[in-house]
């Protein structure tokens, strides 16, 4: 099935829902095939400019859809699922949940029996079609997996993982955007101290980060072998790197990831 003919309900167009809608439209899904909802109708003005169907009526959106994307916060999903229970049709629809920390089993218990459910963990780079999305399922039809892969491949890169790793995927891939942003900000602040204006420093850092990631993606090398290429004995790069490590650079990152994980798990 071509995703350009799919009708997609996006329930909860906040930060991530908005990014998914923008990415889908950029990928060629007609705006008129998208039904976006949130509770606060006053905040729908921006998304209405994209010409999607936007409103506060979840039941209407769900009735139109082939695929229902659940994009609400974990503390809001129960209300939504109670509301749309009678409108979900297990025979013709697929539910894809991006809700953090809510298992397929928990979601299934709130939906009509036999509902096909897939969990996805994208990140906000979906907005620019560069999301890394992890998806998992427990025995839906192959064509439903294919369909979900098509949706998220249109928004970047997709990999299939076991459900038990979904929380880890949240930390590494979704929270990861924030960690990298903070890294970039720190690099820019350092760049200003050594002489650049903020805009130039930002430009240099953003392209350097993109270049480093592209090197690894395309060459399939290990980060340390790329580091070896730029560290001259007694040179400035190794001096800077080691100073960062003495101050806990890698350790701070690993501890941060584990702290995020604790918050999801508790
Ligand atoms: N942000 C990320 O990078 C990211 C990445 C991966 C997964 N996630 C997961 O994706 C979900 C959404 O995250 P987010 O950052 O986009 O949160 P968000 O910005 O708070 O968006 C949640 C949206 O849900 C809407 N909503 C709440 N109750 C609703 C209801 N009963 N009916 C319709 N809409 C309702 C809210 O609308 P109102 O504000 O109008 O009430 C809001 O627009 C969360 O479960 C999060 O864990 C997020």
């Amino acid at each position: 099935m071509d995703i350009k003919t799919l009708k997609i309900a996006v329930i909860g167009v906040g930060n991530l829902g908005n990014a998914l809608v923008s990415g889908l439209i950029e990928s060629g899904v007609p705006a008129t095939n998208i039904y976006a909802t949130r509770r606060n109708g006053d905040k729908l003005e921006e998304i209405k400019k994209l010409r999607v169907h936007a409103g506060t009526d979840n039941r209407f959106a769900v009735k139109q859809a082939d695929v229902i994307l659940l994009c609400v916060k974990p503390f809001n999903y129960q209300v939504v699922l109670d509301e749309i229970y009678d409108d979900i049709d297990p025979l013709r629809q697929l539910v894809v949940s991006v809700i953090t920390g809510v298992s397929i089993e928990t979601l299934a218990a709130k939906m009509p029996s036999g509902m096909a459910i897939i969990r996805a963990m994208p990140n906000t780079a979906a907005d620019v079609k560069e999301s890394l999305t992890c998806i998992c399922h427990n025995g839906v039809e192959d064509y439903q997996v294919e369909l979900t892969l098509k949706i998220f491949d249109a928004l970047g890169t997709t990999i299939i993982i076991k459900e038990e790793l979904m929380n880890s995927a949240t930390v590494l891939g979704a929270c990861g955007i924030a960690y990298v942003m903070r890294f970039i900000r720190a690099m820019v602040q350092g760049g200003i101290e050594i002489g650049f204006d903020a805009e130039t420093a930002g430009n240099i850092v953003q392209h350097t980060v993109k270049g480093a990631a592209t090197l690894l993606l395309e060459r399939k090398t290990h980060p340390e072998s790329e580091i070896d290429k730029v560290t001259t004995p007694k040179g400035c790069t190794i001096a800077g790197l080691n100073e960062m490590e003495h101050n806990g650079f890698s350790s701070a990152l690993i501890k941060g990831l584990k702290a995020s994980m604790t918050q999801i798990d508790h």
Side-chain angles (χ1 to χ4, degrees):
M1 194 174 197
D2 186 353
I3 63 162
K4 291 175 184 165
T5 62
L6 276 184
K7 300 255 170 65
I8 304 175
V10 184
I11 308 297
V13 274
N15 293 315
L16 184 61
N18 263 299
L20 294 177
V21 169
S22 304
L24 285 169
I25 293 172
E26 266 208 45
S27 307
V29 176
T32 47
N33 282 6
I34 297 176
Y35 296 80
T37 67
R38 65 184 297 163
R39 285 176 301 195
N40 188 341
D42 294 341
K43 292 190 177 163
L44 287 165
E45 289 314 311
E46 275 304 304
I47 201 152
K48 278 183 182 165
K49 288 181 191 157
L50 299 177
R51 303 198 178 281
V52 301
H53 301 274
T56 56
D57 189 342
N58 293 330
R59 298 192 62 182
F60 172 77
V62 165
K63 278 180 204 154
Q64 318 306 315
D66 303 303
V67 177
I68 301 155
L69 280 180
L70 293 176
C71 300
V72 297
K73 291 276 194 196
F75 48 82
N76 287 132
Y77 80 92
Q78 303 213 24
V79 173
V80 172
L81 292 184
D82 285 345
E83 187 189 353
I84 63 177
Y85 187 94
D86 290 332
D87 307 302
I88 309 179
D89 181 355
L91 293 178
R92 73 172 186 90
Q93 291 177 318
L94 168 68
V95 168
V96 179
S97 165
V98 302
I99 303 167
T100 303
V102 182
S103 70
I104 293 174
E105 192 182 1
T106 305
L107 293 167
K110 304 285 290 177
M111 288 188 222
S113 148
M115 191 67 224
I117 304 168
I118 292 183
R119 283 179 68 193
M121 188 47 61
N123 61 41
T124 49
D127 203 3
V128 289
K129 298 198 285 178
E130 287 289 352
S131 173
L132 183 284
T133 304
C134 293
I135 69 168
C136 69
H137 62 91
N138 56 359
V140 298
E141 302 283 341
D142 286 351
Y143 83 90
Q144 293 169 320
V145 177
E146 291 303 316
L147 196 60
T148 308
L149 285 172
K150 275 188 192 168
I151 292 174
F152 288 99
D153 280 348
L155 302 170
T157 304
T158 317
I159 57 174
I160 300 177
I161 63 171
K162 290 186 178 152
E163 186 170 25
E164 68 209 42
L165 282 173
M166 278 307 262
N167 286 351
S168 310
T170 306
V171 171
L172 208 53
C175 308
I177 289 274
Y179 311 144
V180 175
M181 291 296 172
R182 186 57 65 82
F183 167 81
I184 289 174
R185 192 188 77 168
M187 285 274 282
V188 171
Q189 287 174 326
I192 296 168
E193 271 216 46
I194 60 174
F196 288 106
D197 62 83
E199 193 183 340
T200 311
N203 203 10
I204 293 172
V205 174
Q206 286 155 30
H207 284 284
T208 304
V209 169
K210 187 178 175 190
T214 309
L215 269 177
L216 296 176
L217 284 167
E218 291 193 2
R219 299 244 173 96
K220 311 229 176 293
T221 46
H222 190 281
E224 214 55 42
S225 79
E226 295 300 333
I227 288 174
D228 284 346
K229 291 178 195 166
V230 291
T231 44
T232 317
K234 292 192 172 179
C236 62
T237 312
I238 193 65
L241 266 182
N242 283 347
E243 181 67 19
M244 289 175 203
E245 289 301 346
H246 292 318
N247 285 288
F249 184 69
S250 296
S251 172
L253 264 176
I254 294 164
K255 281 185 180 169
L257 257 83
K258 288 170 76 178
S260 291
M261 197 66 193
T262 318
Q263 278 303 109
I264 295 187
D265 280 341
H266 96 302

